[in-house]
Amino acid sequence: MQSRDKFFIGNEWVSPSSAQTFEVMNASTGELVATAPEGANADIDTAVSAARAAFEHGEWANSSPNDRAEIMERFLAALAKRGDELAQTVSIQNGMPIGLSTAFEAEYSAGLLQYYAEEAKNIETALDIRPSQMGKETQVKKVPFGVVAAIVPWNFPVTLAMSKIAPAMAAGCTLVIKPSPGTVLDSYILAEASLEAGVPAGVLNWVAADRDVGAYLVSHPGVDKVAFTGSSAAGRLIAETCGGLLRPVTLELGGKSAAIVLEDADIDTFIEGVPMACLLNNGQTCFNGTRILAPKNQYQKISEAVADLASSMVIGDAMDPETQMGPMASKPHRERVEAYIVTGKTEAKLIAGGGRPKNTPQGWFVEPTVFTDVANDAVISREEIFGPVLSIIPYEGEDEAISLANDSEFGLGGSVWSADSEHALKVANQVNCGTVGVNGYVPSIGAPFGGVKGSGIGRELGPEAVDNYQSLKSTYIMS
């Protein structure tokens, strides 16, 4: 893969302010594949200045919603041409199976740009005129916040970047995007696509950096809005900073979602859905239903079926189309997941996995792991492991299932499984989370996505996401 030595700022390839670099590793082999520059505070200053100039004085500042939509459509065309390259780059960096990276990082991310290009066309340019109780009338309009700091994690780096970029562009904002150091190479492909598409200078700027420099970006005086996806711990620190600055922030954070298998559920249907709803992206997905709630009268049958599935999954190189379970994204992350497995062995019964697969001596692999006889207050039930580790928790009666599902500091996702979808929907409506699936789980581009409690503030996706990048301005006409 190609090493990089520049940042993309103001539509130019800009030399970094220091000689520090990130090493990009192949998650499936543990081998070094490329290097990329590590940003410092000075690089953030340059990027924010470029975004500020574009917002206040550049071509973008005077563009109409239809103008923005046209530019976004050109960006979409340039991005679509690079779909295979994006998917391959992501899979090498973080171990996402290539079939999944093609579907999500290439196709879903392009769908986001297409969706928000259409949303841009629908933005009302006419003023909302309202009666005034103290004067002639009031004009109300939505205006873009300005410069957005977009901080993107490593698990779905393209999709989660585009979930911020696309609605922010539709709203008329400009962005400074900080990708994760472990998945920095895909950001260069996005930058090349935006340059080819003629996105005006300063609208999109990329600087990869560590957490300290990311914190500098969050608190930068030239930033008007922060959009972050990542851990709940990091999100709380960002929320504290933004609260002190009275700066708008959207936080899409962690989860410990419950998959409630009702007594009338078809177990085969549930098992078919487990890879997507509970183990997606090698378990490295915030909405995964890693707590499986099973009725006591079918507990053994469901547990055995889940264990059989986990044991039969094809583990291998992320670039192999046959692979169902790739590696963890990094060596430190594998160690973190393995530490939770060690804890789980002291709290519950291990019935599948629990180690490193024997056929993958290189790379950062962990076997799909299943625990039974798990209490809902166990560490492996409470904390987000972010790996292929499932806890099967017994319940008796739907009231207890709902109570267990809601007994969590998180509230991002969940699923309910039943042969009667109306029955499942009634249960789903009682689960305290931002999103829930009935007999499956796949986020919809057209519907808001986000969590409650420790899972975040605000929503991405859907037309509501554009509102995250706009403020309301009222002009009082007195006479």
Side-chain angles (χ1 to χ4, degrees):
M1 297 185 74
Q2 181 182 358
S3 291
R4 303 285 188 163
D5 61 359
K6 300 281 196 304
F7 295 125
F8 186 78
I9 300 174
N11 277 15
E12 295 182 355
W13 297 106
V14 177
S15 296
S17 62
S18 77
Q20 295 294 110
T21 60
F22 290 121
E23 293 186 338
V24 181
M25 313 297 287
N26 184 325
S28 296
T29 66
E31 297 173 337
L32 176 67
V33 293
T35 60
E38 177 180 348
N41 290 357
D43 302 304
I44 295 295
D45 290 338
T46 303
V48 172
S49 294
R52 173 60 58 191
F55 179 72
E56 294 184 350
H57 308 296
E59 176 186 342
W60 195 249
N62 299 313
S63 62
S64 68
N66 283 334
D67 290 338
R68 296 197 292 271
E70 182 180 343
I71 291 168
M72 292 172 71
E73 287 170 344
R74 295 201 305 266
F75 190 13
L76 168 63
L79 190 67
K81 290 194 303 185
R82 294 166 169 81
D84 289 345
E85 184 183 8
L86 276 172
Q88 292 166 11
T89 301
V90 171
S91 290
I92 289 171
Q93 292 175 112
N94 72 2
M96 184 185 297
I98 188 66
L100 188 65
S101 62
T102 298
F104 275 85
E105 297 296 87
E107 297 170 1
Y108 195 93
S109 62
L112 283 164
L113 198 50
Q114 182 178 35
Y115 178 87
Y116 286 105
E118 290 301 314
E119 283 299 308
K121 296 175 186 177
N122 295 330
I123 291 176
E124 293 288 340
T125 55
L127 292 173
D128 180 5
I129 307 297
R130 303 184 185 182
S132 175
Q133 289 71 39
M134 301 296 291
K136 180 182 177 184
E137 63 186 25
T138 300
Q139 296 180 354
V140 181
K141 64 178 180 178
K142 294 180 177 179
V143 296
F145 271 126
V147 176
V148 176
I151 301 176
V152 182
W154 47 261
N155 59 327
F156 287 87
V158 182
T159 298
L160 294 174
M162 200 56 66
S163 68
K164 299 164 181 56
I165 292 168
M169 289 182 71
C173 293
T174 60
L175 299 98
V176 176
I177 305 136
K178 191 198 84 65
S180 172
T183 49
V184 62
L185 298 180
D186 47 274
S187 66
Y188 287 90
I189 301 172
L190 294 179
E192 289 164 354
S194 72
L195 193 60
E196 178 185 313
V199 176
V203 174
L204 301 175
N205 309 274
W206 276 270
V207 176
D210 64 12
R211 291 184 178 183
D212 290 341
V213 177
Y216 178 76
L217 172 61
V218 167
S219 63
H220 198 285
V223 166
D224 301 300
K225 151 86 183 183
V226 175
F228 170 80
T229 300
S231 72
S232 295
R236 288 187 174 94
L237 294 175
I238 290 171
E240 184 177 350
T241 298
C242 290
L245 294 169
L246 300 179
R247 179 166 294 169
V249 61
T250 304
L251 302 171
E252 196 271 281
L253 307 178
K256 193 70 180 180
S257 302
I260 304 175
V261 185
L262 298 180
E263 289 190 10
D264 66 347
D266 182 275
I267 295 176
D268 290 339
T269 299
F270 169 64
I271 294 301
E272 290 174 3
V274 165
M276 178 65 72
C278 305
L279 289 169
L280 186 67
N281 192 19
N282 314 330
Q284 300 171 137
T285 304
C286 52
F287 57 70
N288 274 338
T290 53
R291 289 185 298 146
I292 297 174
L293 308 186
K296 287 183 178 179
N297 61 4
Q298 297 189 69
Y299 186 77
Q300 183 174 349
K301 184 177 181 180
I302 292 170
S303 297
E304 290 175 352
V306 174
D308 288 345
L309 169 72
S311 300
S312 67
M313 295 186 78
V314 178
I315 306 171
D317 193 300
M319 296 300 292
D320 186 342
E322 300 299 317
T323 291
Q324 297 173 297
M325 181 69 60
M328 299 296 92
S330 68
K331 183 177 180 181
H333 186 60
R334 178 177 66 174
E335 292 171 351
R336 178 180 184 273
V337 172
E338 288 178 329
Y340 274 110
I341 293 174
V342 170
T343 298
K345 290 176 180 179
T346 69
E347 298 180 310
K349 180 182 178 181
L350 177 69
I351 64 168
R356 299 178 182 179
K358 295 181 176 58
N359 67 327
T360 55
Q362 297 177 307
W364 301 307
F365 292 87
V366 174
E367 292 175 324
T369 299
V370 182
F371 287 101
T372 58
D373 300 337
V374 190
N376 201 50
D377 60 358
V379 170
I380 58 171
S381 299
R382 308 303 292 181
E383 299 183 12
E384 185 178 40
I385 298 173
F386 221 61
V389 182
L390 303 179
S391 298
I392 307 181
I393 301 169
Y395 72 84
E396 189 164 2
E398 289 179 6
D399 288 344
E400 184 181 13
I402 295 165
S403 177
L404 289 169
N406 292 336
D407 181 17
S408 172
E409 70 172 279
F410 299 104
L412 181 59
S415 58
V416 182
W417 303 77
S418 170
D420 182 348
S421 59
E422 291 299 318
H423 179 201
L425 183 59
K426 290 179 181 179
V427 174
N429 287 336
Q430 299 176 71
V431 178
N432 185 19
C433 58
T435 66
V436 63
V438 171
N439 293 324
Y441 186 103
V442 180
S444 169
I445 291 176
F449 175 84
V452 299
K453 300 188 283 187
S455 290
I457 299 170
R459 295 293 183 267
E460 295 188 325
L461 307 185
E464 294 83 359
V466 179
D467 293 338
N468 288 332
Y469 299 95
Q470 296 173 314
S471 62
L472 291 169
K473 180 177 182 179
S474 295
T475 303
Y476 309 118
I477 310 300
M478 304 309 295
S479 63

